[in-house]
Amino acid sequence: ISACLVGSEMCIRDSIKAIFAATGIHLLVAGVLTAFFVGSHPSWNALRTTFLFNLIFTLSIGFVATTIFGRVLPRFKLTGWRQAIGLGIAFMAAVAIGVELALAVITTLWGQVQAPGRIDIWRIASVVTLVMTVMGVTYDRLRAHARAVELRVQETQRALLDAQLQNLRDRLNPHFLFNSLNTLAGLIEEHPPRAVEALERLCDLLRYGLESSEETLTSLGRELAAIDDYLHMEELRFGDRLRWEIDVPDALHTARVPVLLLQPIVENAVKYAVSPRRAGGCITVRGKLHSESGQLVLSVLDDGAGDVHLSLIHI
């Protein structure tokens, strides 16, 4: 019910805004026409009467045009050249019917008044209506274009937020988190100091994942520290089955690398080279500078089933 009430309030609010906007346009057109037709020194009575007559003409033509273009013409569902002919006929009909309706209202309220001939009135009404129609169509298209741009921006922002959320979910890795928490629960009773140390490492690892969600580059030393925390946490699960070595000179720790560059590769090595084997496995992370190009070369090796698996990254 509340949603329906909110929707009704929005519709009423939009309708009121549209009415005020249309009224303002009609008053503006009537005022411009009055300033154009009256003499250089008009009396207040002539000024008021001319303004009322012009307002009646604009309201009549506007009402008829809105009815024909908004309700009658769309029912025919014209396309191509038929639509062009239909628009022309609808325009002439709106002007003719609107002018005659305005003349009938003026005659009813004021009787016969001195006014230009019908041909002159139709000519002036046609020009004014054509100008207002072009302006209205242009305004509607610009507003539709602005709305489309706004929707594209909103969709882009929504897609970006979804991507960031998915990235955050991937970095948290629920399975790893749940396994670590279960291991910590057992350590709390068996070995409290080790549980505290493991909890601190888990907090550091999660903090790194959360803080790096808005970054693209980080130092190699920080990345290796996260790898070390990750492997220590996994050691709680696998014990002596997991063996690893990080062989990267300290001089390379300041190098800038993409965030979480190595962690997915190391995680993949733990999953496929250590977890399925009863004897476990060994993972080695190495880093060096290429002798010729001077590029940073990072490698992740594991002794999984079959040949030694090696992943090389050149930066």
Side-chain angles (χ1 to χ4, degrees):
I1 297 175
S2 60
C4 294
L5 291 176
V6 172
S8 300
E9 291 178 358
M10 293 180 62
C11 292
I12 294 174
R13 193 180 301 112
D14 293 340
S15 299
I16 294 175
K17 289 181 179 179
I19 292 174
F20 276 108
T23 302
I25 292 175
H26 287 300
L27 292 174
L28 177 62
V29 174
V32 172
L33 292 175
T34 300
F36 180 78
F37 285 115
V38 296
S40 57
H41 300 286
S43 62
W44 283 108
N45 186 36
L47 191 64
R48 183 181 64 254
T49 303
T50 305
F51 177 80
L52 289 176
F53 287 179
N54 290 327
L55 183 60
I56 291 174
F57 275 106
T58 58
L59 290 173
S60 300
I61 297 176
F63 171 75
V64 175
T66 301
T67 303
I68 294 178
F69 285 100
R71 298 184 179 182
V72 178
L73 194 61
R75 295 183 179 180
F76 294 94
K77 299 180 180 179
L78 301 177
T79 58
W81 61 271
R82 291 184 178 87
Q83 184 181 22
I85 295 177
L87 290 174
I89 295 175
F91 176 80
M92 292 185 292
V95 173
I97 297 175
V99 168
E100 294 301 325
L101 178 62
L103 290 175
V105 172
I106 292 173
T107 302
T108 302
L109 296 178
W110 286 276
Q112 294 294 332
V113 296
Q114 184 178 1
R118 273 183 165 77
I119 300 299
D120 293 332
I121 296 177
W122 287 348
R123 185 183 298 113
I124 297 172
S126 298
V127 173
V128 174
T129 305
L130 179 60
V131 172
M132 296 303 300
T133 301
V134 172
M135 292 177 60
V137 171
T138 303
Y139 172 76
D140 289 339
R141 290 188 176 181
L142 290 176
R143 185 174 61 177
H145 177 71
R147 180 58 178 167
V149 172
E150 182 181 358
L151 290 176
R152 285 198 297 269
V153 171
Q154 292 177 354
E155 292 176 358
T156 302
Q157 292 177 344
R158 187 181 302 111
L160 179 59
L161 291 176
D162 291 341
Q164 291 177 344
L165 179 60
Q166 184 60 42
N167 189 23
L168 182 60
R169 289 173 178 171
D170 294 340
R171 292 180 179 186
L172 288 177
N173 194 342
H175 296 292
F176 162 71
L177 180 59
F178 293 152
N179 291 333
S180 300
L181 292 177
N182 289 332
T183 304
L184 283 172
L187 282 177
I188 290 175
E189 296 182 358
E190 297 177 3
H191 202 300
R194 192 179 179 188
V196 173
E197 179 185 357
L199 182 60
E200 291 176 351
R201 290 184 178 274
L202 179 60
C203 291
D204 292 338
L205 184 60
L206 294 178
R207 186 181 300 110
Y208 175 67
L210 292 172
E211 292 177 352
S212 61
S213 62
E214 298 180 357
E215 300 176 359
T216 56
L217 294 177
T218 187
S219 65
L220 179 58
R222 190 181 179 191
E223 181 76 8
L224 294 176
I227 296 298
D228 186 70
D229 289 333
Y230 170 76
L231 290 174
H232 272 94
M233 292 301 303
E234 291 289 41
E235 185 185 22
L236 297 177
R237 295 175 53 206
F238 297 105
D240 295 337
R241 294 171 57 202
L242 174 60
R243 301 172 298 280
W244 80 89
E245 178 186 6
I246 298 179
D247 182 16
V248 180
D250 294 340
L252 300 180
H253 284 197
T254 57
R256 305 294 291 176
V257 298
V259 174
L260 294 177
L261 174 68
L262 298 174
Q263 196 272 341
I265 303 175
V266 174
E267 182 180 345
N268 190 68
V270 172
K271 182 177 180 180
Y272 293 103
V274 178
S275 179
R277 300 167 62 194
R278 180 175 300 179
C282 180
I283 299 173
T284 303
V285 179
R286 291 176 180 168
K288 64 179 181 179
L289 292 180
H290 194 274
S291 58
E292 297 181 0
S293 64
Q295 288 182 314
L296 174 62
V297 181
L298 300 174
S299 58
V300 179
L301 302 93
D302 66 70
D303 58 350
D307 297 332
V308 174
H309 295 79
L310 171 64
S311 298
L312 289 177
I313 305 172
H314 294 261
I315 301 177

